[in-house]
Amino acid sequence: MYIARENMREERVEIAQLGDAGLHRADDDKDACGLASVVSLQGEASHDIVRLALEALEHLEHRGAVGSDTGTGDGAGILCDIPDELLRARAEQHLVSAELPERGTYVTGIAFLPQESATRRAMRFRVDAIAAEEGLRLLAWLPVSTTPEVLGASAREAAPHIEQPIYIAAGSVATSAMLELRAFRARKRIEREAGVYLPSLSSRTIVYKGMVTTLQLPTFYPELNDERFASRFAIVHSRYSTNTFPSWHLAQPLRLVAHNGEINTVRGN
């Protein structure tokens, strides 16, 4: 793991290898295909954290496979803080009537929906109904800007329609952990009962990922390049499948971690 030491006024970023600190022991490091994480030592959100993480992701290009059309990636993505400032600006741009509550008190995520509009409307209705049953009231569905032209033919053919739901708690919620529990229960039910895959649904973090190459990710999701997209940390990874076919929902990272290996082979082995 690497830590970014930032001097924001001089626009300098020094990357230093982390030695023995906390639970980490440098002697435990082993050679292997890697993932990357960037963290602010000051705990301050900035776009530089996201920019550095995307730069690190480019250097993982060797890990991800590419399809025969040369433009379809095995999968890549980024896990980071919810970009509160950018999300507020997008909500205002799309004329969301209700104002977002303060950071950490609303739930949002990314949803992979069908391309067919009538089916998509029906699924959104079902998603919102399940969320309401779990104590989350719909605030808005925001479109997520994407650039499908950068994808290969296979990735475009399999691509979902991508949107961002925003929910607030229905009734009082005593702690952020209780809000996360509501989001977790809602996401699990949405995926099982509505058949909608959610890369993330949380009051804390968000995942942008897809069947893209490491170089395509910030181009496919252009808002990752917005200076208002700020985070205190970022985890990036590229997936190389050894025993399953690539798909949009199998792209790394996952909702809490990125893993280096095929976890689903453990039982088989």
Side-chain angles (χ1 to χ4, degrees):
M1 181 170 69
Y2 291 83
I3 300 293
R5 294 187 174 93
E6 305 161 60
N7 185 329
M8 304 302 292
R9 285 175 294 183
E10 298 182 16
E11 297 296 325
R12 289 190 318 215
V13 179
E14 174 192 350
I15 302 295
Q17 188 167 7
L18 186 66
D20 291 349
L23 296 177
H24 180 266
R25 293 293 176 267
D27 291 342
D28 291 337
D29 291 347
K30 302 291 189 299
D31 290 333
C33 260
L35 50 89
S37 60
V38 183
V39 182
S40 168
L41 287 176
Q42 292 78 26
E44 297 176 358
S46 74
H47 181 65
D48 270 349
I49 297 294
V50 178
R51 179 181 57 79
L52 280 170
L54 294 173
E55 184 178 328
L57 183 62
E58 290 183 10
H59 293 284
L60 289 174
E61 184 180 7
H62 70 282
R63 175 177 169 82
V66 179
S68 59
D69 59 11
T70 71
T72 295
D74 188 42
I78 183 170
L79 163 66
C80 56
D81 280 320
I82 292 171
D84 183 72
E85 180 184 357
L86 178 61
L87 187 57
R88 291 178 187 278
R90 288 178 56 223
E92 183 177 348
Q93 175 189 354
H94 292 285
L95 305 177
V96 175
S97 56
E99 185 176 350
L100 282 178
E102 71 176 280
R103 178 197 297 268
T105 61
Y106 60 86
V107 168
T108 190
I110 298 294
F112 287 173
L113 297 164
Q115 290 287 0
E116 202 278 314
S117 58
T119 305
R120 186 166 66 245
R121 285 194 298 271
M123 281 195 166
R124 274 200 304 253
F125 180 82
R126 181 68 181 128
V127 166
D128 295 338
I130 292 172
E133 291 171 6
E134 295 298 335
L136 298 174
R137 180 166 61 85
L138 175 68
L139 193 63
W141 280 86
L142 295 182
V144 175
S145 178
T146 60
T147 312
E149 296 80 15
V150 304
L151 304 177
S154 298
R156 281 200 309 273
E157 184 178 350
H161 180 86
I162 304 173
E163 294 187 16
Q164 182 174 11
I166 305 174
Y167 299 101
I168 58 176
S172 61
V173 175
T175 65
S176 63
M178 290 179 62
L179 185 58
E180 279 296 290
L181 179 59
R182 290 191 186 188
F184 174 80
R185 286 174 55 92
R187 178 181 60 77
K188 297 295 283 186
R189 287 190 58 198
I190 288 166
E191 291 178 346
R192 292 175 180 177
E193 298 174 28
V196 175
Y197 180 77
L198 298 155
S200 62
L201 187 67
S202 171
S203 62
R204 302 169 180 171
T205 59
I206 194 165
V207 172
Y208 289 78
K209 70 177 187 177
M211 203 166 142
V212 298
T213 68
T214 61
L215 298 173
Q216 288 172 343
L217 183 71
T219 308
F220 180 72
Y221 291 110
E223 66 186 53
L224 292 175
N225 303 303
D226 194 306
E227 289 292 328
R228 295 168 296 181
F229 197 115
S231 180
R232 297 165 299 170
F233 78 97
I235 299 173
V236 291
H237 199 21
S238 176
R239 173 183 182 269
Y240 178 74
S241 173
T242 55
N243 65 351
T244 57
F245 288 110
S247 69
W248 281 78
H249 74 279
L250 288 179
Q252 292 268 10
L254 308 180
R255 299 175 184 96
L256 292 175
V257 297
H259 69 82
N260 189 24
E262 292 283 350
I263 289 176
N264 62 317
T265 62
V266 173
R267 181 177 298 176
N269 288 340

